[in-house]
Amino acid sequence: MDLKDLFLTPFYLALFYGLAFTVRKRFTNALTKKYFIPALSVKFLGAVSLGLIYQFYYGGGDTFNYYDHVKIVYQAFSDSPALGLKLIFGPAVYDPLTIKYTGQMYWYDSSTEYFVVRVAAAFAILCFNTYSIIGLFFAALSFSGMWAMYLTFLRIYPLAYKKLAIAVFFLPSVFFWGSGLLKDSLCMGALGWIFYGFYHALIERKSIPTALTLGSIGIYVLISVKVYILLSFMPPALLWVFNENNQRIKSASVRLLLKPLFLLVGLGSAYFGATNLTAGDERFDVDKIGERTKITQEYLSTYVSSGSAYNIGELDGSLGSIVKVAPQAIIVSLYRPFLFEARNPVMLLSALEASLFIYLTVSLFYRTGLFKGLRLIAARPILLFSFLFCLIFAIGVGVNSGNFGTLVRYKIPLMPFYLAALYIMQSMAQTRSRPKTGTAVQLNKARKFGSLATTE
């Protein structure tokens, strides 16, 4: 970052906030209005802080590697707008007209990294190629998806609207790593759009054109950047859709007959999607997932010398070995690093969040009892979906990270869902423990909040 960032960023921030205040009435209601600007503000804070920490603490990193590529594309656009637009929107193939520029970009042949470069370069044209402002654009894009995520949770369980805002917007790791010029910002936004799309199009069946459009964009982004997030999301989401629609069937016998059929269709669709989306991909091909996991874990745990490596057991490249270490992977993803394992400020931040997860999980199941808590999860499709997605994703990132430094970034997609599910369970448990008069008041509040939870 340089003087250009210092002088232009306040001006663009004013533009962003002006637009935010203009659209706030359209996308908020009586429950959500007070969270809109603060939630956007922490995203902007995360984007700027990410750049500062990478520059002055880490001395460089992925975010500046992306920016180096963006500068080359911007230079091409300055030389010839047609060439610049070709680099942004055209296929990443050999072209004698652009070889002068593509020859300088070592990520040009890497589709996932170059997708981020394309998006960032498009924003660079709008802000004179200013790093911090590109970060603000990424933060705003990510915020749009996470606001959709929050509205979806709110429609499902409006009573917990305050704590749901904390879960979605105000976890430090999420708004720090999920806001700047990184893949994670695009992924968090895309995940929110998909969540919104699934619920509104396939469960609530309202605002279907908008839901399908946002969901499709989110799916495209995840396929382009981190397809494994989509692969972790789809099976629990299909089960969620089935459970929600199955509960609406009045006949118990019909529900019983249809359940195995829908489960088979859901599992078949998930397997078909997983195998076809990743076929031929050296990193994510289902047939090679065990082998790639072993290689990735060995590399990260061996070559990262920050003292943050962890070991969850031996991986021999087989799916069986992944299943064997799955419990350890879940624990390390959800509840570690422990406070005594923190070696730097970033790890300490992650350790504090993990401690919150431990406290809420233990206190919740202590209050409800283990079996009652599990029955509560099984009875509410949104809880079952959220926890299944978190467990599947936790296994994936837990076995692939190898050290807490990378894990803290990789695991942020599961964090809002896990904390939101805990808060919903906590609210439900408190409602059930109240006397009948208190329960009646809660039901009245639920009806009132449910009517307020409509934004469309």
Side-chain angles (χ1 to χ4, degrees):
M1 293 191 285
D2 52 32
L3 289 177
K4 181 171 59 175
D5 295 84
L6 183 63
F7 289 112
L8 288 180
T9 301
F11 174 73
Y12 274 83
L13 266 176
L15 290 178
F16 277 118
Y17 276 116
L19 179 61
F21 278 105
T22 300
V23 303
R24 180 175 63 170
K25 185 176 180 180
R26 169 66 181 85
F27 296 105
T28 64
N29 52 50
L31 295 182
T32 62
K33 181 180 179 180
K34 62 183 177 181
Y35 299 116
F36 192 81
I37 298 301
L40 179 63
S41 297
V42 296
K43 298 292 285 183
F44 286 157
L45 175 64
V48 174
S49 300
L50 181 81
L52 292 173
I53 288 178
Y54 263 100
Q55 182 170 2
F56 296 108
Y57 182 76
Y58 291 121
D62 285 348
T63 187
F64 290 117
N65 292 334
Y66 287 122
Y67 185 56
D68 289 339
H69 285 63
V70 172
K71 288 190 286 188
I72 297 169
V73 178
Y74 188 78
Q75 182 60 52
F77 183 82
S78 300
D79 296 339
S80 168
L83 289 181
L85 294 175
K86 194 171 189 178
L87 289 174
I88 295 173
F89 299 106
V93 296
Y94 172 78
D95 187 333
L97 295 176
T98 59
I99 188 64
K100 171 185 175 181
Y101 307 101
T102 59
Q104 304 176 57
M105 295 188 284
Y106 54 86
W107 276 341
Y108 183 67
D109 294 327
S110 179
S111 60
T112 58
E113 281 76 16
Y114 194 66
F115 182 87
V116 180
V117 174
R118 291 178 190 271
V119 176
F123 290 144
I125 295 172
L126 302 176
C127 65
F128 308 100
N129 193 33
T130 308
Y131 170 84
S132 56
I133 301 174
I134 296 172
L136 295 180
F137 273 108
F138 269 66
L141 200 62
S142 177
F143 170 75
S144 69
M146 299 196 71
W147 188 257
M149 180 190 297
Y150 176 58
L151 292 182
T152 304
F153 274 122
L154 190 65
R155 293 295 292 269
I156 296 169
Y157 201 81
L159 279 175
Y161 73 99
K162 293 180 181 179
K163 290 184 176 179
L164 288 174
I166 296 172
V168 175
F169 300 119
F170 300 114
L171 282 171
S173 290
V174 176
F175 71 71
F176 177 76
W177 295 108
S179 297
L181 177 49
L182 288 172
K183 288 181 180 179
D184 309 274
S185 304
L186 297 179
C187 292
M188 291 305 296
L191 189 58
W193 299 328
I194 296 172
F195 184 54
Y196 178 96
F198 257 82
Y199 179 74
H200 285 79
L202 301 179
I203 296 174
E204 193 175 52
R205 297 172 189 169
K206 293 182 179 179
S207 306
I208 293 179
T210 301
L212 289 177
T213 300
L214 289 177
S216 299
I217 293 172
I219 289 172
Y220 172 73
V221 171
L222 287 188
I223 290 174
S224 301
V225 182
K226 289 188 177 183
V227 71
Y228 65 85
I229 299 177
L230 182 62
L231 299 181
S232 301
F233 180 91
M234 289 299 289
L238 290 170
L239 180 62
W240 176 36
V241 172
F242 158 73
N243 283 335
E244 290 281 6
N245 286 283
N246 189 57
Q247 287 185 352
R248 297 173 184 173
I249 300 174
K250 295 181 179 180
S251 172
S253 58
V254 174
R255 287 201 305 269
L256 188 62
L257 288 172
L258 288 178
K259 190 170 185 176
L261 175 63
F262 278 109
L263 285 175
L264 287 174
V265 171
L267 290 172
S269 300
Y271 178 77
F272 178 81
T275 54
N276 283 272
L277 283 174
T278 62
D281 192 312
E282 286 295 324
R283 293 163 301 172
F284 303 118
D285 194 317
V286 171
D287 294 334
K288 301 177 181 178
I289 190 170
E291 177 186 352
R292 295 303 307 171
T293 295
K294 179 176 183 290
I295 294 171
T296 302
Q297 188 204 44
E298 288 178 349
Y299 173 81
L300 290 172
S301 61
T302 302
Y303 292 98
V304 175
S305 57
S306 63
S308 61
Y310 63 80
N311 181 21
I312 60 172
E314 293 296 325
L315 290 169
D316 59 13
S318 67
L319 287 175
S321 66
I322 295 178
V323 173
K324 186 177 179 180
V325 302
Q328 286 277 19
I330 292 171
I331 291 172
V332 79
S333 296
L334 292 177
Y335 308 122
R336 291 178 64 188
F338 301 125
L339 287 171
F340 61 83
E341 293 178 307
R343 299 290 183 269
N344 55 59
V346 175
M347 281 183 66
L348 178 60
L349 188 66
S350 182
L352 291 171
E353 292 168 338
S355 299
L356 173 64
F357 282 14
I358 293 172
Y359 169 75
L360 289 176
T361 304
V362 172
S363 62
L364 179 64
F365 282 99
Y366 177 79
R367 184 183 300 117
T368 63
L370 177 60
F371 294 107
K372 286 185 178 179
L374 293 176
R375 284 199 297 270
L376 184 61
I377 293 172
R380 290 299 299 260
I382 182 59
L383 296 179
L384 184 61
F385 154 74
S386 296
F387 283 121
L388 281 179
F389 167 62
C390 292
L391 293 177
I392 294 171
F393 194 79
I395 293 170
V397 297
V399 300
N400 276 284
S401 298
N403 73 87
F404 294 117
T406 55
L407 179 65
V408 66
R409 275 180 58 185
Y410 289 171
K411 73 178 186 178
I412 63 171
L414 71 80
M415 295 176 70
F417 288 92
Y418 188 78
L419 189 55
L422 288 178
Y423 280 145
I424 291 173
M425 283 188 69
Q426 185 182 68
S427 180
M428 293 174 67
Q430 290 172 348
T431 301
R432 292 187 176 193
S433 64
R434 289 188 177 96
K436 290 184 178 181
T437 54
T439 302
V441 172
Q442 285 295 105
L443 289 173
N444 289 330
K445 286 176 65 178
R447 295 188 188 102
K448 177 184 176 183
F449 288 170
S451 64
L452 289 174
T454 301
T455 303
E456 291 80 14

